[in-house]
Amino acid sequence: MREYELLIDGETLSRTERETVNDPSSNQPVSSIALANESDVTSAVEAAESAFERWRTVDTVSRGHYLRDIAAELRTRKTEIAQRHTEETGRSLLDSKRSVEYAAEYFEYYAGLTHRINGETIPLSHEEFDYTRREPLGVTGHIIPWNSPLLLGSRSIAPALACGNTVVAKPAQLAPMSILELGRAARDAGLPDGVLNVVSGSGSTAGEALVTNEKVQELTFTGSKTVGLHIRNLVSDRLIPLNLELGGKSPNIVFADADLEAAADGAVKLFSNAGQSCYAGTRLFIEDDIYDEFIDHVVSRIEAMDVKKDPNETEISALISPSAQSEVSSYVESAIEAGGSITTGGRIPFGEGNFYEPTLIENVPDDAAVSCEEIFGPVLTAFRFDSEQEVVERANDTEYGLYASVWTTDLNRANRITEHLEAGTVTVNNYASPIPQVPFPAYKQSGIGSEYATAALNHYTKIKNVRMTVDRTLR
Ligand code: TAP
């Protein structure tokens, strides 16, 4: 059992209150984690507040160097951090190594943007000079989920630091190790004490203490809609920027003229990370003319996927917890009760670990729970459609609006459909993962705020306008 402690003001602080992290692929304990109480969170915020006074004055070129050094340290420790990430998430070591690489890329991307946090000059009368400055916010709070902890944590921590803010991060109790490793790596890479603090602990104690701390000037939360709304209510009497990155129920639309092999490859991407991804294409709409043929393509791919106990051999990783596994089972049972049929999968393959077979469900109504609610498991639901109008209406008939995908070789159709889909990201002829360089906005109940790309620089700064009277007379 590895021991992990809190990271506050550059120090690792041991606590007697602890929680065990279990490996999802075996449910065996792998680490013991210190749990932060309210006063620990207060100390972390105070350390971040005091570090902010120095960090905000670090010139942008040097800030970029700090971020690049964090990226380099993550790469140096790639194997070790990836092992912890595999133990806490159940994902393969290869997948976890990719997560460490992606995390490093976030720090490098924002390192390159520190000198682009520009204001603008606004021409006024001859006697006035007006310009804007983008200033950091102060202490930012980051509440991180378990499904891709290192990547999703880095996604917001890197731009927050790049903009001159300091950070208090609260990882998920089920998967806190890789974020604690990130904190250690940043400290050992030379990031000044207090600039990045990590308070492992429960959402109800450490999470709420962070959310309600009045010194916190910004909150970024990635997780469920229920907790996101609760957090928004908790801060409703404070005017601070909020980033809420919530759930999804993404439509994946395949027209008869599409490259069906490529579209089938895209359709089964849902199964990576066992469907535990906010942008997973869980609703597969297939044009009637090619429905049966396309289903065959999808089924052959699903049935070729191995579910094995070893996280390095399985193509379908374990679900995060036994309760997540039973929730997925319940959804599949409810689909059958609603008239649906299981084409393939639909079972727990073995007793050990939280695995679930990759599952395809057909013939289920649009209003069944499995068709409308976020399952966060390896369950794909297929539907037939006849026309563009019909599929757009059905695709949009969800409270979420995070991501949508269209497969067609008709460029005009692609443009028509993308214009009408209510989603922050629409991909055409691919099912691409979010990357630092492109924005990842959310429509409807999938969230508010802006992450990724240069949009994050606006989120993590506030504008100050300076309007100056000048005497332009040469003397
Ligand atoms: P949640 O249960 O909402 O937990 C997310 C984080 O919030 C965890 O760190 C959790 O802590 C913390 N938390 C729980 N209650 C809290 C409270 N009262 N105050 C403050 N923090 C609290 O979500 P999850 O089950 O981990 O993640 C799955 C959800 O995240 C899905 O809906 C998924 O779609 C969404 N997600 C969205 C995105 C994007 S980019 N939109 C990306 C990934 C995941 P503890 O768990 O430690 O208690």
Side-chain angles (χ1 to χ4, degrees):
M1 288 270 279
R2 277 164 216 282
E3 305 265 317
Y4 280 89
E5 314 302 344
L6 312 179
L7 179 67
I8 299 178
D9 209 9
E11 283 187 50
T12 44
L13 301 175
S14 181
R15 289 290 174 266
T16 48
E17 286 271 309
R18 307 190 75 81
E19 172 88 324
T20 300
V21 171
N22 294 328
D23 180 341
S25 60
S26 63
N27 283 320
Q28 294 302 309
V30 287
S31 64
S32 158
I33 310 286
L35 293 180
N37 58 29
E38 282 173 23
S39 110
D40 293 322
V41 174
T42 304
S43 304
V45 172
E46 282 169 0
E49 191 185 41
S50 140
F52 175 65
E53 292 310 318
R54 300 183 301 277
W55 182 244
R56 68 178 304 172
T57 64
V58 171
D59 66 89
T60 53
V61 174
S62 305
R63 239 189 266 151
H65 286 314
Y66 279 113
L67 266 67
R68 271 187 210 95
D69 290 347
I70 296 173
E73 195 63 35
L74 287 173
R75 289 212 164 88
T76 304
R77 302 175 181 200
K78 180 159 80 179
T79 303
E80 197 191 335
I81 298 176
Q83 275 161 351
R84 303 292 84 76
H85 188 267
T86 286
E87 286 166 7
E88 67 187 358
T89 62
R91 294 166 75 163
S92 73
L93 194 57
L94 186 67
D95 208 10
S96 293
K97 283 184 177 171
R98 274 194 220 116
S99 274
V100 182
E101 280 292 332
Y102 291 146
E105 281 168 22
Y106 278 99
F107 283 95
E108 283 161 349
Y109 175 76
Y110 286 105
L113 287 179
T114 52
H115 58 284
R116 297 289 308 279
I117 304 170
N118 299 332
E120 54 181 345
T121 56
I122 299 163
L124 295 178
S125 70
H126 191 64
E127 291 76 32
E128 277 189 294
F129 174 51
D130 194 288
Y131 66 96
T132 61
R133 294 163 50 87
R134 286 214 158 265
E135 298 188 344
L137 303 168
V139 180
T140 59
H142 302 246
I143 299 181
I144 300 164
W146 47 261
N147 63 326
S148 203
L150 183 61
L151 194 151
L152 293 173
S154 302
R155 177 198 64 181
S156 65
I157 291 170
L161 295 179
C163 291
N165 303 289
T166 53
V167 168
V168 178
K170 206 296 285 175
Q173 241 180 312
L174 291 168
M177 288 190 284
S178 53
I179 290 293
L180 285 156
E181 288 285 355
L182 166 65
R184 292 178 182 186
R187 179 195 60 188
D188 298 348
L191 192 70
D193 292 348
V195 174
L196 170 57
N197 307 275
V198 185
V199 285
S200 43
S202 74
S204 54
T205 302
E208 292 218 7
L210 185 57
V211 170
T212 54
N213 189 307
E214 298 209 341
K215 292 181 173 168
V216 172
Q217 299 299 323
E218 185 279 344
L219 280 166
T220 293
F221 166 83
T222 305
S224 60
K225 182 185 159 197
T226 313
V227 177
L229 289 178
H230 176 63
I231 286 175
R232 195 187 60 167
N233 289 338
L234 286 176
V235 297
S236 61
D237 60 348
R238 279 155 66 212
L239 296 174
I240 60 168
L242 270 187
N243 243 333
L244 300 178
E245 299 277 352
L246 311 176
K249 190 73 184 172
S250 303
N252 190 13
I253 304 170
V254 183
F255 284 94
D257 65 358
D259 174 343
L260 298 190
E261 296 282 351
D265 288 342
V268 299
K269 279 200 178 169
L270 152 88
F271 296 109
S272 66
N273 199 17
Q276 299 169 116
S277 156
C278 53
Y279 67 98
T282 46
R283 293 184 296 144
L284 179 61
F285 290 97
I286 308 166
E287 196 167 8
D288 201 35
D289 298 351
I290 48 134
Y291 183 90
D292 293 328
E293 181 189 351
F294 191 69
I295 285 287
D296 288 345
H297 283 295
V298 172
V299 170
S300 64
R301 281 165 176 74
I302 294 176
E303 292 185 343
M305 289 176 178
D306 266 340
V307 189
K308 291 188 175 166
K309 287 181 190 171
D310 183 341
N312 292 317
E313 290 185 8
T314 187
E315 282 175 82
I316 304 291
S317 59
L319 293 159
I320 191 71
S321 63
S323 67
Q325 186 192 44
S326 51
E327 206 169 307
V328 170
S329 282
S330 307
Y331 269 115
V332 173
E333 282 161 25
S334 77
I336 298 165
E337 283 160 24
S341 49
I342 295 174
T343 315
T344 184
R347 288 173 310 183
I348 292 172
F350 21 75
E352 201 184 321
N354 311 317
F355 294 91
Y356 198 88
E357 287 181 342
T359 300
L360 175 64
I361 296 175
E362 292 181 85
N363 307 313
V364 76
D366 283 12
D367 62 356
V370 76
S371 314
C372 313
E373 295 172 17
E374 187 179 41
I375 300 175
F376 236 51
V379 180
L380 177 61
T381 315
F383 307 91
R384 289 174 190 268
F385 73 89
D386 277 323
S387 71
E388 292 179 6
Q389 178 91 33
E390 176 205 337
V391 77
V392 166
E393 274 170 26
R394 291 170 69 196
N396 287 340
D397 187 16
T398 165
E399 63 173 330
Y400 294 115
L402 193 59
Y403 194 102
S405 198
V406 185
W407 301 81
T408 177
T409 47
D410 178 340
L411 195 57
N412 285 324
R413 167 185 275 157
N415 276 306
R416 284 194 295 276
I417 302 280
T418 53
E419 190 181 327
H420 288 96
L421 284 173
E422 296 165 355
T425 294
V426 182
T427 57
V428 178
N429 296 329
N430 67 45
Y431 211 97
S433 309
I435 46 172
Q437 323 62 314
V438 299
F440 194 61
Y443 276 32
K444 305 201 284 193
Q445 300 301 298
S446 284
I448 51 169
S450 41
E451 283 287 358
Y452 295 83
T454 49
L457 302 180
N458 293 345
H459 177 81
Y460 289 107
T461 53
K462 57 193 168 201
I463 294 180
K464 178 178 282 170
N465 189 66
V466 181
R467 192 164 167 180
M468 194 185 282
T469 300
V470 287
D471 180 353
R472 293 183 190 270
T473 317
L474 285 175
R475 295 179 207 281

